[in-house]
């Protein structure tokens, strides 16, 4: 009987772990949480069964073996519990646990997640930004006067004691975006993503088309929203939302901002800070091709989960990432839609291929013929 219980526990653990692994490309939603719950139950039952068996043994080495077994299943159970609970405090503990074992030279001064600074510490950081950004940027005041930049810094400093750490990071993003340079933005060096890690994003992939913002992927839970146009979040229309969020998005032109607006436009914390929504969850209003309205209340997920999903599925709907990454330049033709797709990865002559000049001539001739 004990062997059967032990075997079933191991089977549940392996099955739950495998489900978590295979569903991790979209690390949120009901199915992912159920698989994490199964994994958690399996870990717990296996831990109890094995520990009791080892402790009852008369052999000393088996009793000693119980210590690493307990430690191993405590860790797996802890991680599984975080996945099930899906709350920021759990992920905070997990992140800080990993940060504690990261070598100092790899932390990039990132010692605690989420960061929390005193007013005096924020003042030092903001002054550092004020002094160092102009020194290291080639043309920091191409699109604005230095006085405008300094005034924005002063305004932020005057209300530091009224803002949370997260809200201060939003304001710093806004100030940095005034530079109007897509490569000058606020990110977390350690995690390689926007600075507001502990906020949540609504789990939709979006794309800007000529007539509005559309859902291109809704994951597992919001599959029915794919292909719908977002017309409103809360009581604010989409065009007004874009105007409110746009100042926080880095970029030298509208097209860059549209391409990389999603961590800001879908950020529940930023939407709340700018007065667009009142709570973490929000009611979205969509329209289908016939003009029929679809209303849906959507709950956000942790930004690190969203960005993991975004990166894992990036190649699924982006032709530029499906191949030819090692070529400096290339194009392909879709006969069905009569569309030419051109990609330039590097402005440098490709060895064994026509020069850039000859390639441009070839492409131009091909387009004229077809």
């Amino acid at each position: 009987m004990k062997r059967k219980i032990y075997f079933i526990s191991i089977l549940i653990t392996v099955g739950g772990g495998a489900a978590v692994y295979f569903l991790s490309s979209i690390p949120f939603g009901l199915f992912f949480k159920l698989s994490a719950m199964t994994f958690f139950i399996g870990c717990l039952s296996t831990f109890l069964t094995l520990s009791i068996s080892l402790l009852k043994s008369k052999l000393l080495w088996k009793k000693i073996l119980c210590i690493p077994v307990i430690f191993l299943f405590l860790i797996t159970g802890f991680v599984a519990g975080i996945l099930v609970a899906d709350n920021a405090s759990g992920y905070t503990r997990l992140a800080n646990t990993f940060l504690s074992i990261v070598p100092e030279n790899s932390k990039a001064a990132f010692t605690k997640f989420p960061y929390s600074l005193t007013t005096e510490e924020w003042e030092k950081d903001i002054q550092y930004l004020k002094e160092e950004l102009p020194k290291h940027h080639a043309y920091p005041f191409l699109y604005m006067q230095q006085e405008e930049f300094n005034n924005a810094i002063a305004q932020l400093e005057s209300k530091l004691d009224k803002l949370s750490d997260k809200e201060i990071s939003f304001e710093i993003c806004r100030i940095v975006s005034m530079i109007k340079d897509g490569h000058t933005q606020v990110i977390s060096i350690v995690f390689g993503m926007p600075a507001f890690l502990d906020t949540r994003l609504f789990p939709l992939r979006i794309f800007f088309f000529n007539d509005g913002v559309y859902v291109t992927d809704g994951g597992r839970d919001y599959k029915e929203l794919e292909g719908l146009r977002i017309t409103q979040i809360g009581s604010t229309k989409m065009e007004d939302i874009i105007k409110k969020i746009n100042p926080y998005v880095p970029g030298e032109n509208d097209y860059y901002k549209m391409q990389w607006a999603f961590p800001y436009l879908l950020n529940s914390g930023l939407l709340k800070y700018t007065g667009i929504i009142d709570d973490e969850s929000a009611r979205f209003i969509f329209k289908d091709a016939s003009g029929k309205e679809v209303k849906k209340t959507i709950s956000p997920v942790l930004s690190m989960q969203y960005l993991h999903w975004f990166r894992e599925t990036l190649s699924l709907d982006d032709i530029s990432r499906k191949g030819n990454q090692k070529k400096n330049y290339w194009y392909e033709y879709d006969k069905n839609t009569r569309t030419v797709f051109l990609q330039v990865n590097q402005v440098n002559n490709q060895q064994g291929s026509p020069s850039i000049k000859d390639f441009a001539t070839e492409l131009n001739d091909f387009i004229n013929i077809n």
Side-chain angles (χ1 to χ4, degrees):
M1 183 66 182
K2 287 182 179 179
R3 288 184 177 181
K4 284 184 178 180
I5 294 173
Y6 181 65
F7 177 74
I8 292 170
S9 299
I10 290 288
L11 199 62
I12 292 172
T13 304
V14 173
V20 169
Y21 175 79
F22 286 112
L23 293 173
S24 64
S25 59
I26 306 178
F28 40 82
L30 179 61
F31 291 109
F32 182 75
K33 288 184 180 181
L34 286 175
S35 66
M37 179 67 79
T38 304
F39 182 53
F40 178 74
I41 292 171
C43 284
L44 184 62
S45 58
T46 305
F47 156 67
L48 290 173
T49 306
L50 187 57
S51 297
I52 291 170
S53 175
L54 289 172
L55 286 171
K56 283 185 176 181
S57 175
K58 293 180 180 179
L59 298 174
L60 181 61
W61 70 269
K62 285 190 175 183
K63 291 181 182 291
I64 295 173
L65 183 62
C66 187
I67 297 172
V69 168
I70 290 173
F71 184 70
L72 173 65
F73 283 105
L74 279 176
I75 292 174
T76 53
F78 172 63
V79 173
I82 288 173
L83 296 176
V84 173
D86 186 27
N87 62 62
S89 61
Y91 283 96
T92 295
R93 292 191 186 97
L94 185 62
N96 284 323
T97 300
F98 280 112
L99 277 171
S100 65
I101 60 175
V102 171
E104 288 297 326
N105 60 352
S106 301
K107 288 186 178 180
F110 194 90
T111 57
K112 185 181 178 183
F113 170 76
Y115 48 79
S116 181
L117 304 179
T118 64
T119 300
E120 290 73 22
E121 287 171 329
W122 274 120
E123 285 174 347
K124 289 180 181 178
D125 279 1
I126 293 168
Q127 279 301 310
Y128 182 86
L129 173 70
K130 179 183 177 181
E131 294 168 6
E132 296 299 321
L133 186 104
K135 291 180 184 178
H136 298 283
H137 196 285
Y139 303 103
F141 305 116
L142 184 63
Y143 296 102
M144 66 170 173
Q145 299 295 319
Q146 185 167 2
E147 185 180 359
E148 186 182 353
F149 177 74
N150 292 340
N151 287 340
I153 292 284
Q155 288 175 11
L156 175 57
E157 288 179 322
S158 68
K159 54 184 180 181
L160 284 177
D161 56 343
K162 299 175 183 177
L163 300 175
S164 66
D165 291 295
K166 191 185 303 181
E167 291 169 343
I168 294 171
S169 73
F170 290 150
E171 284 302 310
I172 291 175
C173 287
R174 183 183 62 80
I175 292 171
V176 171
S177 73
M178 292 167 64
I179 300 291
K180 292 187 178 180
D181 177 6
H183 290 92
T184 303
Q185 54 181 287
V186 181
I187 63 169
S188 164
I189 295 174
V190 175
F191 295 99
M193 56 181 73
F196 26 89
L197 289 170
D198 52 324
T199 62
R200 292 175 176 259
L201 301 176
F202 292 104
L204 303 172
R205 286 187 65 150
I206 59 173
F207 193 85
F208 282 72
F209 290 90
N210 289 337
D211 59 339
V213 180
Y214 283 77
V215 177
T216 58
D217 194 345
R220 287 184 290 263
D221 286 6
Y222 302 108
K223 202 75 176 174
E224 73 278 8
L225 301 178
E226 291 178 15
L228 301 185
R229 179 166 60 91
I230 306 173
T231 60
Q232 194 170 311
I233 303 177
S235 59
T236 309
K237 295 191 179 298
M238 199 61 193
E239 51 267 30
D240 295 325
I241 294 172
I242 293 170
K243 288 177 183 177
K244 283 189 174 184
I245 299 300
N246 200 50
Y248 299 88
V249 185
E252 55 271 15
N253 55 57
D254 290 339
Y255 294 100
Y256 189 98
K257 283 176 175 278
M258 286 189 286
Q259 177 71 15
W260 298 106
F262 70 91
Y264 305 84
L265 194 60
L266 296 174
N267 190 301
S268 63
L270 184 55
L271 292 177
K272 188 175 180 180
Y273 176 59
T274 52
I276 295 167
I277 62 176
D278 299 322
D279 202 359
E280 283 285 302
S281 298
R283 187 187 68 162
F284 282 64
I285 299 179
F286 307 87
K287 276 190 179 180
D288 63 15
S290 66
K292 179 183 175 182
E293 275 195 352
V294 177
K295 297 179 181 179
K296 190 81 173 179
T297 298
I298 301 178
S299 298
V301 300
L302 284 168
S303 58
M304 62 184 76
Q305 291 175 288
Y306 178 97
L307 290 165
H308 171 75
W309 169 52
F310 179 84
R311 287 166 179 157
E312 286 290 305
T313 59
L314 194 60
S315 63
L316 299 181
D317 61 356
D318 189 343
I319 190 173
S320 68
R321 297 177 187 269
K322 289 182 179 178
N324 299 324
Q325 288 293 299
K326 294 182 180 180
K327 289 187 177 181
N328 291 358
Y329 37 84
W330 60 277
Y331 71 89
E332 67 179 40
Y333 180 58
D334 187 334
K335 291 183 180 179
N336 296 324
T337 60
R338 297 188 66 198
T339 303
V340 174
F341 178 84
L342 163 70
Q343 182 172 18
V344 179
N345 293 317
Q346 189 176 135
V347 185
N348 196 12
N349 289 332
Q350 176 80 36
Q351 188 174 3
S353 300
S355 65
I356 293 177
K357 183 179 180 180
D358 292 339
F359 174 79
T361 302
E362 176 191 322
L363 177 62
N364 186 62
D365 292 343
F366 180 85
I367 291 172
N368 289 331
I369 294 170
N370 291 278

